[in-house]
Amino acid sequence: MKVTEHIEKANGDTLFSFEVLPPLKGQNIRSLFDHMDPLMEFNPPFVDVTYHREEFVYKKRENGLLERKTVRKRPGTVGICSAIQNHYNVDAVPHIICGGFTKEDTENALIDLNFLGIDNVLLIQGDTRKPEREFKPEPGGHAYASELIEQVVDLNKGIYLDEELENAKPSDFCIGVAGYPEKHFAAPNMQTDLKYLKLKQEIGGDYIVTQMFFDNKCYFDFVKKCREAGITLPIIPGLKPITSKKQLTILPQLFHVDLPMDLSKAIEECKTKEEVVQVGIEWTIQQSKELMDFGVPSLHYYSMGKSTSVYEVAKELF
């Protein structure tokens, strides 16, 4: 079932959903299921699976020169989504990214997903490859998420890259796109960011999932600005419980988000890791309750490979 169909079927009730990371290379699927098992108690209609592009590492050769090698630390998302759907009978939403894919790679992945009965995709530009500082598209690939949307929309119309295909069957993907309540870091201002988000809607996006935020006012203002700009898609808020003091500096750097003073002060005053985790849980519970009162379509939690805090939050709400 499509994410939009799940939202319609809920009749205004707020759904529970979450995002997982593929297990690290060398681990098996059981490590992922152990993470997901507790959260399935709350009957999520869909689960997102991130995609991580390859990275560069440099190894010293015997002659003293450095050799650059490409490594992929996490297995592909397609197989993991299939395993999740088969094991839990829940809709898996794979992230499809620009970086690391040619257009042919993207089409092949989409064909596999379609064959596997996966009805949803979340289309994003993706992170810059480490240790590069700027995003660089793959030769023959896409530079922007809007271009990915165009390719999926074409496939939904039965238009493949090979124009000579006869009687090509269309896919029927529901297309999720990313929104940024505090502005995408590469956008010069919020107005420009909203212009491109509206473009994603016009091209064929079906729903929006936001970057994490810690101040609900950011989300409420974002929704208001989206509606004023003519963006009518469902806007699913993304949330993450803080679990360590290090995240006070890491999360703003990685995700370009602000943490409210009350939250950062409460975490800084914690004496133990357990206290930090509890503060993170309580803050996210309060965020979630306020968002549910607002009538959000789903509360989408970034679990980051650790389900304990998300479980404690969900237990209070669902």
Side-chain angles (χ1 to χ4, degrees):
M1 189 183 292
K2 296 180 178 181
V3 168
T4 50
E5 291 172 337
H6 284 298
I7 293 171
E8 290 169 10
K9 187 178 176 182
N11 290 319
D13 290 339
T14 298
L15 302 170
F16 165 75
S17 58
F18 62 95
E19 178 182 294
V20 297
L21 308 176
L24 290 167
K25 185 185 292 185
Q27 297 180 1
N28 59 30
I29 196 68
R30 187 67 252 172
S31 62
L32 178 60
F33 290 165
D34 287 344
H35 163 70
M36 292 180 61
D37 281 348
L39 300 179
M40 300 310 293
E41 174 184 329
F42 307 108
N43 299 313
F46 60 92
V47 175
D48 277 35
V49 183
T50 65
Y51 189 94
H52 294 258
R53 67 181 299 179
E54 72 282 357
E55 298 178 8
F56 291 139
V57 295
Y58 291 89
K59 294 194 174 182
K60 197 169 186 178
R61 300 169 62 179
E62 291 183 1
N63 60 8
L65 297 177
L66 293 177
E67 178 184 9
R68 190 172 80 166
K69 298 190 69 173
T70 301
V71 296
R72 190 180 297 279
K73 294 184 176 180
R74 297 181 186 272
T77 296
V78 172
I80 291 166
C81 284
S82 178
I84 288 172
Q85 287 206 170
N86 180 65
H87 186 73
Y88 292 110
N89 194 29
V90 64
D91 283 304
V93 184
H95 292 193
I96 302 293
I97 65 174
C98 296
F101 281 104
T102 64
K103 294 174 186 177
E104 288 76 13
D105 292 334
T106 298
E107 182 174 272
N108 290 336
L110 292 167
I111 290 169
D112 285 347
L113 291 168
N114 192 39
F115 284 171
L116 291 166
I118 292 170
D119 299 323
N120 304 279
V121 288
L122 184 73
L123 306 180
I124 55 178
Q125 184 185 58
D127 297 331
T128 299
R129 177 164 44 193
K130 298 176 183 178
E132 295 174 347
R133 296 174 64 90
E134 296 180 359
F135 178 83
K136 295 179 182 177
E138 193 77 9
H142 296 301
Y144 302 103
S146 58
E147 297 171 352
L148 272 180
I149 298 169
E150 289 175 341
Q151 183 171 5
V152 177
V153 168
D154 279 348
L155 208 64
N156 281 349
K157 296 175 181 177
I159 302 171
Y160 289 70
L161 294 175
D162 183 354
E163 298 177 355
E164 297 180 2
L165 284 179
E166 296 182 1
N167 301 315
K169 303 299 182 185
S171 57
D172 190 25
F173 289 111
C174 177
I175 298 171
V177 301
Y180 299 86
E182 296 174 74
K183 185 183 77 64
H184 189 279
F185 74 94
N189 50 64
M190 179 59 83
Q191 289 73 24
T192 301
D193 203 20
L194 289 173
K195 179 183 76 171
Y196 287 114
L197 184 57
K198 188 177 182 182
L199 175 64
K200 293 177 185 178
Q201 172 181 280
E202 293 168 349
I203 294 170
D206 294 303
Y207 69 96
I208 297 165
V209 181
T210 77
Q211 175 65 280
M212 68 179 70
F213 58 90
F214 297 90
D215 184 345
N216 284 351
K217 187 177 184 303
C218 294
Y219 174 82
F220 298 144
D221 289 347
F222 178 67
V223 171
K224 183 174 183 289
K225 290 174 182 175
C226 282
R227 301 312 183 217
E228 290 172 348
I231 298 167
T232 59
L233 302 180
I235 303 175
I236 298 173
L239 302 173
K240 185 206 170 333
I242 297 284
T243 57
S244 72
K245 284 191 175 183
K246 288 192 299 184
Q247 290 175 351
L248 291 180
T249 53
I250 290 174
L251 294 178
Q253 289 179 41
L254 289 179
F255 300 104
H256 306 276
V257 295
D258 286 341
L259 275 69
M261 177 61 75
D262 289 349
L263 175 59
S264 61
K265 184 173 182 291
I267 290 172
E268 286 168 351
E269 291 175 352
C270 291
K271 300 293 190 293
T272 65
K273 178 175 173 57
E274 289 74 22
E275 289 179 2
V276 173
V277 170
Q278 191 57 38
V279 168
I281 290 170
E282 291 172 1
W283 185 273
T284 308
I285 288 172
Q286 293 308 310
Q287 267 195 281
S288 300
K289 286 181 176 178
E290 189 176 22
L291 290 165
M292 291 178 84
D293 290 341
F294 185 75
V296 298
S298 182
L299 289 168
H300 189 70
Y301 296 95
Y302 297 111
S303 66
M304 312 286 275
K306 297 178 181 178
S307 61
T308 304
S309 290
V310 175
Y311 179 87
E312 293 300 320
V313 171
K315 187 172 67 173
E316 287 289 318
L317 304 167
F318 299 96

